[in-house]
Amino acid sequence: MKKNMSRNLNGMELVFEQYATQHHDAPQLITDLIAEIRPARPDQTELAIKAIQALCYLLTTDVQKARLLREAVLQLLSERNPISLFLISRHSVFTGFFSEMRRRVSHKLLPDAINNDYLIDLFALFFGKTTDEQWVSAVPDSVWAQLIHALRFDQADQAVIEACQQNLFAASQVLSYRIAALGLEPELLRNYPELEQHSSPFVMQQAELADALSAQANHAGQIDIKHILVMLDQCRAIVTKIRRNSAQTGTSINLTQLLQRMLQQVARLEELLNILHRFQHGQPADIEIVGLFKALVYSECHKNDLHEHWRENMEVMAVRVTENASRTGEHYITENRSEYYALMRSAMGAGVVIAFMAMLKLFFAKQHLAPLTEAIVFSLNYGLGFILIHILHFTVATKQPAMTAAAIAATIDNASDSKSKEMDNLVAMIANTMRSQLVAIFGNVVIVIPVAMLLAWGVLHYTGEHFITPDKAYQLLATIDPVRSGSLIYAGVAGICLFLSGLIAGYHDNLAVYNRIPQRLRAVTWLQKLLGVSRLERVAQYIENNLGALAGNFYFGCLLGGMSGLGILLGLPIDIRHITFSSAFVGFASFSLDFMLSWQAAAYAALGLVLIGLVNLAVSFSLALYVAMKSRKVRFKQWRHLLRSLATRINQHPGEFILPPKKSRNAD
């Protein structure tokens, strides 16, 4: 460490010497000193701390060097147009989600030109590596405060200090104007109409700040920030309330970005006002300045970060989508035997419909249509069939995981504190979910195979020919071979489609609520005349409660039907395998071969179906659970405890994972 500190001292002394003798400008001095402080790797925080402490020692022991660095810093803060740096973004706060995404992509490919007249551009020189924010944030605030103290700003020219303060005042004013403008956005007023009925805190904070700045300019006293901070707290409370209400009223990308921007602007204005307040009362503001400095470095290093932009703006949307899936998923989780057998009957009903869908799919495949036409026909067959299944209140087993994952994530959220009662609830939820999914798969498969055979017999009886040829039957059996075909990979593709259909369903439910589609339907005059007011009311209510499910089912069908066409278009072996449809194809193939299958071939086909079902469920469930946990910001750390609890439950009550108890445990 002493060796590193000595090297840092030598390097910094050389930087100061070059600055004094070669007449470098202030930005060059700051850039060179940061390069000396910057560790080789961003996780080497101790090296950065030692380098800063070495600089503090150098400034403390050499008054001349302290003066040079102090004047350089103050020159940047007073003369290099620093106002834009203090604002939350160098770009307009009114840019849309996709326009900001395009900007970040283009600036990643072709960075901004540096204008040395603006401090915000110079920050790109000071912290030119995107990893700089890691070590800057990791260095303790007290160490950065030592550096500020070593610069002895109390010995600086008072005129320069006042110029810096005026820039802070100006930046605060701009932020205040922006907050007031955002508070008048139609999207915000639409979701919080009370702002039009009462005095808006977004507007009031600007009026309070304007009065305070006017009084300060007339030397009538110091700025009183208490009332302004109260208004800003009210602004934050309104944003929080709108976000909380979005679970019932829906949300949009524009609203999510608007609320995100407002919170950022409010937080930055509070930081600036607190710094100014301490300056005016002669109090040290080292910690506040360090907090602002770290925020500025973070903003610079992440200004073109696509992942952060997507995450910040999609969190609330993801919560809304997964909350809908959670409520839907609760209907797929059985707790007693009556619900259990009702779910099995519902799954058996879906098996009957899917057998007909599989028959139509094979019929259309016989026609050898053009690839695009075939993909459209397959998509309509699947999509309309799944919609029919939903209308008849039947259940497709593989659609359960995408829905139940969000409900499990909600239980995990409650069990994150490792309380025994909440952990027991989580284990019970997992047991309920596992047996519900098993019985749904059983209901689908146990009926779809005999119905497919019955349909094949009907065709043979009325036409005298088998529905499919023996060659086609062997091809269908080969498609589920888990070793010699890509059936498991294709089953994973189907799992992804299942996961996406869950998100689509949640998105459209959010769309129905946020855009008030049922209310708008009720207001359509020609629909009132066509259907009548009472019938239109029932239609509107049905759309309100089922738009997401209908859209999710239709698009799920389109995804399944379009995958083979996409594979042909791209020249890639892309296809899907779905356990219920594959089971139907086995039924058709077995009948066409007059059941002339050895027991080994039958067992191998059964193994292929089981593996396809497992992959369908595992992929869709894991993706849905991941998104649900990310949207809730759940960080579950009790996996060992959970696994032990599951093992204990399986050992003590193994039957609960297959068949529910006669009496629900929740009733005990």
Side-chain angles (χ1 to χ4, degrees):
M1 285 295 180
K2 290 183 178 179
K3 191 174 182 180
N4 287 332
M5 193 167 185
S6 177
R7 189 185 304 116
N8 287 329
L9 282 172
N10 293 334
M12 291 173 186
E13 286 181 346
L14 181 60
V15 168
F16 278 108
E17 182 180 340
Q18 291 176 345
Y19 177 72
T21 58
Q22 299 180 17
H23 304 292
H24 287 168
D25 56 0
Q28 189 63 51
L29 173 63
I30 306 295
T31 303
D32 292 342
L33 286 176
I34 291 174
E36 291 293 331
I37 296 172
R38 181 185 292 116
R41 296 199 312 270
D43 59 344
Q44 294 176 320
T45 308
E46 283 298 321
L47 294 181
I49 292 174
K50 294 298 180 183
I52 295 171
Q53 290 174 341
L55 178 57
C56 291
Y57 173 78
L58 190 63
L59 298 176
T60 304
T61 56
D62 192 327
V63 177
Q64 181 64 16
K65 289 183 174 59
R67 183 185 64 80
L68 289 176
L69 183 55
R70 179 175 65 245
E71 290 179 352
V73 171
L74 291 175
Q75 180 192 351
L76 295 177
L77 292 174
S78 60
E79 300 177 7
R80 297 299 179 106
N81 299 307
I83 295 176
S84 55
L85 176 66
F86 297 137
L87 305 180
I88 200 63
S89 172
R90 64 191 303 161
H91 299 278
S92 172
V93 296
F94 304 103
T95 55
F97 174 82
F98 293 104
S99 59
E100 176 64 13
M101 181 168 285
R102 285 194 299 271
R103 185 200 68 78
R104 295 192 181 209
V105 171
S106 63
H107 285 239
K108 264 184 176 292
L109 300 174
L110 189 63
D112 272 331
I114 302 298
N115 186 345
N116 290 334
D117 292 334
Y118 287 86
L119 183 55
I120 191 170
D121 285 349
L122 293 175
F123 241 62
L125 292 178
F126 301 157
F127 303 99
K129 295 186 176 181
T130 56
T131 56
D132 279 340
E133 66 89 11
Q134 296 180 29
W135 63 265
V136 168
S137 298
V139 172
D141 291 355
S142 57
V143 176
W144 288 113
Q146 290 174 19
L147 178 57
I148 295 174
H149 183 71
L151 287 171
R152 302 188 185 98
F153 283 107
D154 56 315
Q155 299 180 13
D157 184 0
Q158 192 61 32
V160 179
I161 294 292
E162 289 182 0
C164 295
Q165 290 185 15
Q166 290 303 317
N167 286 329
L168 286 177
F169 282 130
S172 301
Q173 236 177 340
V174 173
L175 282 170
S176 181
Y177 283 130
R178 286 186 172 183
I179 293 171
L182 291 173
L184 297 173
E185 281 286 298
E187 189 110 12
L188 188 72
L189 298 176
R190 177 175 178 266
N191 286 272
Y192 200 84
E194 291 89 341
L195 291 174
E196 294 183 298
Q197 301 169 5
H198 308 285
S199 297
S200 170
F202 298 99
V203 176
M204 291 300 297
Q205 60 82 26
Q206 196 281 320
E208 291 279 355
L209 181 59
D211 291 342
L213 291 178
S214 177
Q216 192 267 343
N218 295 327
H219 305 286
Q222 297 174 332
I223 292 182
D224 183 7
I225 66 171
K226 292 181 182 178
H227 293 297
I228 305 172
L229 294 180
V230 169
M231 292 294 108
L232 294 178
D233 282 338
Q234 292 180 13
C235 295
R236 188 181 286 106
I238 290 174
V239 172
T240 303
K241 186 174 182 180
I242 294 174
R243 279 188 162 181
R244 186 170 58 248
N245 291 343
S246 66
Q248 287 77 40
T249 61
T251 188
S252 67
I253 292 179
N254 289 335
L255 177 63
T256 303
Q257 188 184 34
L258 174 64
L259 299 179
Q260 184 73 22
R261 290 290 192 188
M262 294 178 80
L263 288 177
Q264 292 174 342
Q265 302 285 333
V266 168
R268 179 57 54 81
L269 181 55
E270 286 181 339
E271 289 175 341
L272 297 185
L273 291 176
N274 283 324
I275 292 173
L276 287 170
H277 179 74
R278 287 188 169 275
F279 279 163
Q280 290 204 322
H281 288 78
Q283 299 173 354
D286 297 351
I287 298 301
E288 288 77 8
I289 292 173
V290 170
L292 177 61
F293 167 70
K294 287 185 175 182
L296 294 176
V297 174
Y298 182 91
S299 178
E300 173 60 35
C301 294
H302 290 269
K303 64 184 179 184
N304 295 325
D305 190 341
L306 289 171
H307 177 264
E308 182 189 58
H309 177 63
W310 180 267
R311 175 179 55 80
E312 285 181 350
N313 288 278
M314 295 306 292
E315 275 180 354
V316 176
M317 178 70 77
V319 169
R320 177 65 188 95
V321 168
T322 55
E323 280 296 327
N324 168 75
S326 175
R327 288 192 294 273
T328 306
E330 290 169 358
H331 301 296
Y332 290 110
I333 300 176
T334 61
E335 295 184 356
N336 52 56
R337 294 204 173 184
S338 62
E339 294 176 353
Y340 180 83
Y341 290 121
L343 180 61
M344 184 172 67
R345 291 191 295 270
S346 174
M348 293 174 72
V352 174
V353 178
I354 289 176
F356 282 93
M357 293 167 61
M359 184 180 185
L360 286 174
K361 197 260 186 183
L362 292 174
F363 171 76
F364 291 131
K366 284 183 182 180
Q367 310 308 311
H368 301 293
L369 303 171
L372 179 59
T373 305
E374 186 177 71
I376 293 173
V377 171
F378 286 173
S379 297
L380 290 174
N381 175 42
Y382 285 135
L384 296 177
F386 286 132
I387 286 178
L388 178 62
I389 289 172
H390 174 75
I391 292 174
L392 296 176
H393 303 290
F394 294 154
T395 300
V396 180
T398 49
K399 284 189 67 63
Q400 286 179 280
M403 301 299 178
T404 57
I408 290 178
T411 309
I412 288 176
D413 196 6
N414 295 329
S416 297
D417 56 3
S418 73
K419 291 180 180 178
S420 58
K421 182 178 179 181
E422 298 297 343
M423 187 62 69
D424 289 342
N425 291 338
L426 176 58
V427 173
M429 170 73 78
I430 293 174
N432 294 344
T433 303
M434 288 181 64
R435 67 168 175 258
S436 301
Q437 292 182 354
L438 286 175
V439 75
I441 291 176
F442 174 78
N444 281 166
V445 174
V446 77
I447 201 69
V448 74
I449 293 177
V451 171
M453 294 176 179
L454 184 62
L455 291 173
W457 173 83
V459 172
L460 178 63
H461 178 75
Y462 286 104
T463 65
E465 297 180 357
H466 278 291
F467 180 58
I468 58 174
T469 64
D471 288 341
K472 181 64 175 178
Y474 284 119
Q475 289 178 14
L476 290 176
L477 292 176
T479 59
I480 64 172
D481 189 315
V483 177
R484 290 184 289 271
S485 74
S487 61
L488 299 186
I489 297 175
Y490 300 150
V493 175
I496 295 174
C497 295
L498 286 160
F499 158 70
L500 293 175
S501 71
L503 293 185
I504 291 170
Y507 172 79
H508 279 82
D509 269 329
N510 172 77
L511 190 71
V513 175
Y514 187 75
N515 289 332
R516 298 184 174 92
I517 290 178
Q519 292 86 336
R520 291 160 67 179
L521 281 174
R522 294 184 184 102
V524 178
T525 306
W526 66 270
L527 278 178
Q528 293 176 359
K529 295 178 180 179
L530 179 66
L531 301 177
V533 176
S534 59
R535 190 174 289 111
L536 179 58
E537 176 65 26
R538 292 197 296 273
V539 170
Q541 288 182 355
Y542 186 83
I543 292 296
E544 183 176 7
N545 297 323
N546 295 275
L547 178 63
L550 294 173
N553 280 292
F554 181 75
Y555 284 111
F556 176 49
C558 291
L559 288 170
L560 292 183
M563 281 298 159
S564 59
L566 179 64
I568 294 173
L569 179 65
L570 299 177
L572 297 173
I574 302 176
D575 207 343
I576 58 100
R577 294 290 181 271
H578 187 279
I579 180 174
T580 314
F581 284 95
S582 295
S583 300
F585 295 150
V586 168
F588 284 115
S590 300
F591 186 86
S592 296
L593 295 174
D594 296 323
F595 303 102
M596 300 299 291
L597 292 173
S598 64
W599 71 267
Q600 295 93 336
Y604 196 60
L607 175 63
L609 291 177
V610 169
L611 293 177
I612 288 172
L614 287 176
V615 174
N616 285 160
L617 297 174
V619 172
S620 60
F621 181 79
S622 58
L623 289 173
L625 182 62
Y626 173 79
V627 170
M629 292 182 68
K630 290 289 285 184
S631 68
R632 289 174 171 270
K633 300 181 181 179
V634 176
R635 302 291 185 269
F636 188 63
K637 300 179 180 178
Q638 309 299 327
W639 293 110
R640 290 185 180 179
H641 187 191
L642 173 61
L643 293 176
R644 283 198 301 268
S645 300
L646 274 173
T648 302
R649 178 65 68 90
I650 292 173
N651 182 50
Q652 295 177 352
H653 307 283
E656 287 188 11
F657 290 81
I658 300 175
L659 188 69
K662 292 183 179 180
K663 186 178 181 181
S664 175
R665 287 182 172 272
N666 293 338
D668 294 342

